[in-house]
Amino acid sequence: MANISKRAWMWSAAGVSVTAVAATVGFTSATHEPDPSEMPLTNASASYRRPGQTAQDWVTYADHVVLFRAVDEVVHDPEPIEVERGEGMVGRTVTLETQRVLWSSEDAPQPPPEVYEYPAFGFVFSDGVENMNPVGTQDEPRIQVGHDYVIAIDWEEARCTEGDVPQPAMWMGLDNSSVVPADAGVVGNGESGGQVSSAQARRNSPEPLLRGEGTFEGQMMGYTVGSLARELARTKPHPNPRNYDATPQAPALAQEQVPESEMDEALPEGVTAQDLLEATPEDTTCP
C-alpha cells in the first residue's frame, strides 16, 4: 500500500470515528517504533458504527469472527497542511493474516479474508513531525506487529452517495469491544492500549476497563479462542436487530418532541414529516 495519507479511510474502515484528542503524554519517536510493552498513549474519544459488547452483538452484526496475526504495518504521511502548521495526525495500516476463522454467519455476503489491511490507531504530533505521540484508547488494542487478535468484522458494500467521495467496499470492525488481544490463543492475552499484559493480570486488575467489564471479552478473559468460538456457536442473534445502514433520521426528530408544524417548515415544499417517516431510505450503494 502506498505511503500516503489515508486518515479518512482509516477511521471509517476500522468502524471508529475519532472526535477529539486529549492532552498528550511525554513521548517522542521520529521512527515510529516505540516499545509496545511500555508505550504511553495520547487518549482519543471515539464513537463506533455497530454494537459489539456482547456475544449476541457479535453474532447479530458480524459476518465473521477471525483470529488474526499482525505481520506488517505502514505509517502514512501527514497532510501537507498539518506538516506546515507543525501539528496533526497520521494513521497506520496494519497487515493482518488470518490464523483461524472462529465463527461465520450463515448469510455472510463474502468469505472471510485471508489478509486484512486493518486501519489502526496511529500518531499525533505537535511542535513538528519529529515529535510523535501514539494515539489510542485504554480499552482497545492499537494492533501491533507480532501480536494476535480476535476481531469481529462485517462487509460494507461500496457507497456512492451523490456529492460525497465514493467509499470502496471493505471489511469493517464493529466497535472497540470487538477487537480482542489473543496471543498464544488466550483471550485477553497480549497487546491492548499499547501495553502488553497477560490475561490473568487483566482479569485481576482493579480497573473495570482492563478487565473488560460488561463485555464479551471480559466474559471470556483467560479462556482459549476455541472456547470463545464454542460460545459464539451456541449464541442466538438479537430477535429484532437494528438496521444501522437503513435507519432514517426522521424518528430521532420525533423523539425530541419537535412539533410537526416546525418539522414541516424545514422540509421541501409538498413534503410532510409523515412522508419522511414513511420514506424508503435512499440506496447509496454503487451500481
Side-chain angles (χ1 to χ4, degrees):
M1 180 171 292
N3 189 29
I4 60 176
S5 176
K6 289 278 190 177
R7 181 168 52 190
W9 170 84
M10 174 188 70
W11 298 126
S12 65
V16 55
S17 173
V18 175
T19 57
V21 177
T24 60
V25 295
F27 179 82
T28 300
S29 173
T31 61
H32 314 301
E33 295 180 352
D35 181 349
S37 66
E38 299 294 337
M39 187 186 300
L41 294 181
T42 294
N43 291 321
S45 67
S47 58
Y48 297 87
R49 57 187 289 271
R50 301 233 197 282
Q53 284 204 316
T54 67
Q56 192 171 36
D57 289 337
W58 286 28
V59 301
T60 300
Y61 298 108
D63 293 325
H64 305 284
V65 176
V66 181
L67 174 65
F68 290 105
R69 175 163 298 158
V71 297
D72 197 10
E73 70 171 17
V74 171
V75 178
H76 302 298
D77 293 334
E79 298 286 350
I81 191 172
E82 296 176 333
V83 175
E84 183 178 348
R85 71 171 178 243
E87 60 182 15
M89 180 184 296
V90 296
R92 294 180 304 132
T93 297
V94 181
T95 300
L96 302 177
E97 290 186 351
T98 293
Q99 304 298 300
R100 179 179 173 185
V101 178
L102 301 174
W103 176 89
S104 291
S105 171
E106 293 181 356
D107 57 357
Q110 297 284 339
E114 293 183 7
V115 175
Y116 180 15
E117 297 295 341
Y118 184 88
F121 284 117
F123 303 86
V124 292
F125 62 93
S126 58
D127 298 325
V129 294
E130 67 276 4
N131 295 310
M132 288 282 181
N133 296 280
V135 64
T137 62
Q138 184 183 14
D139 59 337
E140 179 177 3
R142 289 189 83 248
I143 310 296
Q144 301 291 147
V145 172
H147 292 281
D148 294 347
Y149 305 89
V150 171
I151 306 179
I153 58 175
D154 74 314
W155 180 252
E156 182 76 16
E157 296 291 350
R159 297 282 178 168
C160 295
T161 305
E162 186 176 352
D164 291 339
V165 176
Q167 174 182 298
M170 65 183 77
W171 290 107
M172 298 182 77
L174 303 180
D175 73 348
N176 61 325
S177 299
S178 59
V179 181
V180 177
D183 283 0
V186 176
V187 177
N189 213 37
E191 181 273 322
S192 186
Q195 305 293 321
V196 177
S197 183
S198 69
Q200 182 178 358
R202 286 203 173 94
R203 190 170 52 199
N204 295 332
S205 172
E207 293 291 334
L209 280 178
L210 296 181
R211 295 198 306 271
E213 189 170 287
T215 68
F216 185 39
E217 176 186 4
Q219 175 188 340
M220 300 304 300
M221 188 82 69
Y223 289 88
T224 66
V225 295
S227 296
L228 180 144
R230 288 189 290 273
E231 186 64 26
L232 291 174
R234 58 174 170 254
T235 299
K236 301 296 183 183
H238 290 291
N240 296 298
R242 177 177 175 182
N243 187 337
Y244 283 82
D245 292 325
T247 303
Q249 297 301 309
L253 296 175
Q255 290 172 4
E256 294 172 4
Q257 304 300 314
V258 178
E260 187 169 326
S261 59
E262 292 184 15
M263 293 175 67
D264 288 341
E265 291 175 3
L267 295 173
E269 184 177 354
V271 178
T272 68
Q274 189 61 34
D275 291 335
L276 189 59
L277 289 169
E278 296 175 354
T280 301
E282 178 188 4
D283 182 7
T284 60
T285 56
C286 299

